[in-house]
Amino acid sequence: MIKRIFALLIIFSLTACAELQDVINKLPESDEISNADMAAGLRQALDFGIDKQVTKLTQKDGFYKNELVKILLPEELQKVDDALRAVGLSSLADSGIKALNRAAEDAVMEATPIFVNAVKDITFNDAKNILLGEDDAATEYLTLKTQTQLYNKFKPVINNSFSKVGADQIWTNLITKYNNLPLTNDVNPDLTDYVTSEALEGVYTMIAVEEKEIRNKVSSRTTDLLKKVFALQD
């Protein structure tokens, strides 16, 4: 009887080991993926974000009709919007908001190489933790490492776009009319600074959209590198 029980234990042990080994064999072979490979995969995901999502922002209404990134008025200018609409100048107020978004759309088109270079130059010191992080971990890391630099490069592009799409004239007219209204305090906002920050935030938002797609949909991993790297976080 004891021999039979002992034999059964041996069989059970061997079966369990075999099943365990089978599970191990099916796990991603993380040891074969270096930090450099993981970093390359993260960069490729961000590049795809620029190629597939950020380019949408450069089209007409890319900002204006995209609720994720549409640029609205800053809080201090909401009173300008309300006052103009109250005196029958709703169309002027609408054109002011549209002009801000048009400037952003034009600027992102001109500045796309800036974002591409930022991704190319970024160094992922701890690629594994970023890879296994939140759905937008790589984009957040990109933001942390590049936002100040990109702001300084992007602002003059925004400034040029203001003139190019006529946003400067529209807003000069709009603010002049508001300042001429009775019982209002004059305003003189720095819209270039505001739109630069908002447009840059819009770019990061759309890159994050693509990163999330790649992380959560195997079908979005359209290269061998993306398949290999992002399999680790499945």
Side-chain angles (χ1 to χ4, degrees):
M1 181 68 176
I2 294 176
K3 290 183 178 179
R4 183 179 299 175
I5 293 174
F6 184 68
L8 288 173
L9 286 174
I10 292 175
I11 293 171
F12 176 78
S13 177
L14 291 173
T15 303
C17 288
E19 290 177 349
L20 179 60
Q21 186 61 49
D22 185 57
V23 170
I24 292 173
N25 290 337
K26 292 179 180 179
L27 289 175
E29 297 179 354
S30 57
D31 290 341
E32 293 185 2
I33 302 181
S34 66
N35 193 74
D37 284 339
M38 286 186 278
L42 292 172
R43 287 192 201 94
Q44 192 169 92
L46 296 176
D47 280 335
F48 275 43
I50 294 173
D51 185 53
K52 292 185 178 181
Q53 301 294 340
V54 175
T55 52
K56 295 177 182 178
L57 300 178
T58 68
Q59 301 169 11
K60 184 177 180 180
D61 293 326
F63 273 89
Y64 188 64
K65 290 188 177 180
N66 184 340
E67 293 303 318
L68 282 177
V69 298
K70 182 178 180 179
I71 299 175
L72 303 176
L73 294 181
E75 185 176 350
E76 64 269 25
L77 284 184
Q78 191 58 54
K79 60 184 179 180
V80 176
D81 186 83
D82 295 341
L84 291 174
R85 294 184 192 281
V87 297
L89 295 175
S90 295
S91 61
L92 182 60
D94 289 338
S95 67
I97 295 175
K98 184 176 289 187
L100 299 184
N101 286 272
R102 287 287 182 268
E105 290 156 10
D106 180 74
V108 171
M109 181 183 299
E110 296 296 325
T112 296
I114 295 175
F115 305 123
V116 172
N117 288 332
V119 171
K120 186 186 303 180
D121 293 339
I122 195 170
T123 301
F124 291 100
N125 293 321
D126 194 353
K128 186 173 183 179
N129 281 341
I130 296 170
L131 179 65
L132 301 180
E134 299 295 325
D135 281 350
D136 62 347
T139 305
E140 284 296 315
Y141 188 80
L142 175 69
T143 304
L144 177 67
K145 294 295 185 180
T146 66
Q147 192 165 35
T148 300
Q149 176 191 13
L150 290 185
Y151 174 91
N152 293 331
K153 291 183 177 180
F154 198 31
K155 188 173 182 179
V157 181
I158 286 285
N159 192 51
N160 290 336
S161 293
F162 256 79
S163 299
K164 184 177 177 180
V165 303
D168 52 350
Q169 294 179 350
I170 291 173
W171 271 94
T172 296
N173 184 32
L174 190 152
I175 289 173
T176 299
K177 287 186 180 297
Y178 172 80
N179 288 342
N180 287 334
L181 293 175
L183 304 178
T184 60
N185 296 319
D186 287 0
V187 296
N188 186 28
D190 185 351
L191 287 174
T192 302
D193 171 75
Y194 174 70
V195 174
T196 299
S197 296
E198 290 295 297
L200 195 53
E201 183 64 27
V203 168
Y204 289 129
T205 295
M206 296 309 292
I207 292 174
V209 167
E210 185 63 21
E211 180 187 352
K212 184 176 181 179
E213 282 282 307
I214 290 173
R215 285 182 180 273
N216 292 289
K217 293 183 180 179
V218 175
S219 60
S220 294
R221 302 168 193 170
T222 54
T223 70
D224 290 339
L225 180 61
L226 290 178
K227 292 173 184 176
K228 177 182 179 182
V229 170
F230 281 92
L232 289 176
Q233 53 100 73
D234 287 340

